[in-house]
Amino acid sequence: MQLTLSTVVQRLAFAFMLLMTPLLAQAQTASPEAMIRENIESFMGQINGKEDYYANNLDELKALVNDSLNEVADFRYIGASVMGSYFRNATPEQRSQFANVFRQTLIDTYTRGLVTFDYDELRVLSDQRGQRHEDQASVDMEVVANNGQVYPVSYSLRLSDGQWRVVNVIVNGINLGLTFRNQFDQAMRENNRDYDAVIRGWAPEIGVDELEQGGDA
């Protein structure tokens, strides 16, 4: 199966689509699986049937994505994870700036994919893996494309201050958090460990071939 750039953007958009579901209202009472299962339809209801409208009003969709991400994703934790070993020597300002830049690049990229993602079914698996730690959880899903192809998606969540927040996504075996961390490391090496230059030029990418072949994360 050949993937176009548009298809890649759409699949990556879906990978973070569930990061945008409004989970906060149930964060202290529902399990991670229940939160995701119960909120998928709610969030998709805001998008379904309005693809043409949002395609012509991307700023409105971007605002919707931004508001939803505020309630779900732990971007400070994600930013620290992506920076990896470089986080320790970064200044507080650089840490905060990278978290904001990382967030904005995702919003800009995946907003466009949300209006065109082509799927037949989204399903949370009934047989979930058990939690190894009380403050960590994984929720497994499948995306069934219109052509019948199934793409596995796994969400990593972390319990912080009584709230479950998504901190990573694995799509078709590709660990996005690890991929972004490797890209940050490469950028730091290419820029002689100039934090400010790397943050200014941050533009995460996942290769077409990589998504097509999948991985074993």
Side-chain angles (χ1 to χ4, degrees):
M1 176 181 178
Q2 296 297 318
L3 298 184
T4 64
L5 179 59
S6 176
T7 301
V8 172
V9 171
Q10 292 166 16
R11 290 183 186 172
L12 288 178
F14 175 79
F16 282 87
M17 191 178 299
L18 296 186
L19 295 181
M20 305 167 193
T21 52
L23 306 181
L24 189 59
Q26 303 180 42
Q28 297 181 352
T29 59
S31 68
E33 177 187 347
M35 288 191 298
I36 290 180
R37 187 186 299 277
E38 294 170 7
N39 281 274
I40 288 175
E41 291 186 2
S42 174
F43 178 76
M44 292 307 298
Q46 301 177 70
I47 306 298
N48 288 340
K50 300 180 181 179
E51 291 84 358
D52 291 341
Y53 174 81
Y54 281 123
N56 294 305
N57 297 273
L58 288 180
D59 286 343
E60 291 188 32
L61 180 57
K62 188 179 297 186
L64 176 63
V65 169
N66 181 67
D67 290 343
S68 298
L69 280 171
N70 277 337
E71 306 295 350
V72 179
D74 187 344
F75 273 100
R76 288 192 176 276
Y77 183 92
I78 296 172
S81 178
V82 170
M83 293 180 80
S85 61
Y86 298 103
F87 180 83
R88 180 179 303 174
N89 292 325
T91 67
E93 292 76 14
Q94 289 169 331
R95 295 172 181 176
S96 179
Q97 185 180 7
F98 178 70
N100 291 332
V101 169
F102 182 85
R103 170 184 172 183
Q104 193 59 52
T105 56
L106 291 179
I107 291 174
D108 292 344
T109 300
Y110 303 122
T111 291
R112 289 170 173 79
L114 282 170
V115 298
T116 56
F117 185 78
D118 191 15
Y119 67 94
D120 183 60
E121 182 183 3
L122 314 178
R123 58 194 183 203
V124 178
L125 301 184
S126 57
D127 185 15
Q128 295 287 332
R129 292 171 287 174
Q131 295 180 212
R132 293 184 178 181
H133 307 284
E134 293 184 356
D135 62 345
Q136 299 176 27
S138 296
V139 177
D140 296 327
M141 284 191 58
E142 291 180 340
V143 186
V144 183
N146 284 343
N147 64 3
Q149 187 164 351
V150 177
Y151 300 95
V153 179
S154 179
Y155 301 89
S156 299
L157 299 95
R158 173 176 174 264
L159 187 63
S160 177
D161 296 328
Q163 299 174 1
W164 286 105
R165 292 188 179 272
V166 178
V167 295
N168 194 19
V169 183
I170 299 174
V171 183
N172 198 25
I174 303 296
N175 186 318
L176 299 186
L178 179 58
T179 300
F180 293 147
R181 184 188 305 171
N182 290 339
Q183 291 181 357
F184 188 90
D185 176 64
Q186 180 179 351
M188 287 292 285
R189 294 173 185 274
E190 292 175 349
N191 287 274
N192 296 317
R193 290 172 170 75
D194 184 334
Y195 283 84
D196 294 331
V198 171
I199 293 171
R200 284 195 304 269
W202 179 251
E205 298 179 354
I206 301 291
V208 173
D209 292 342
E210 187 176 5
L211 277 182
E212 182 179 16
Q213 296 172 6
D216 55 1

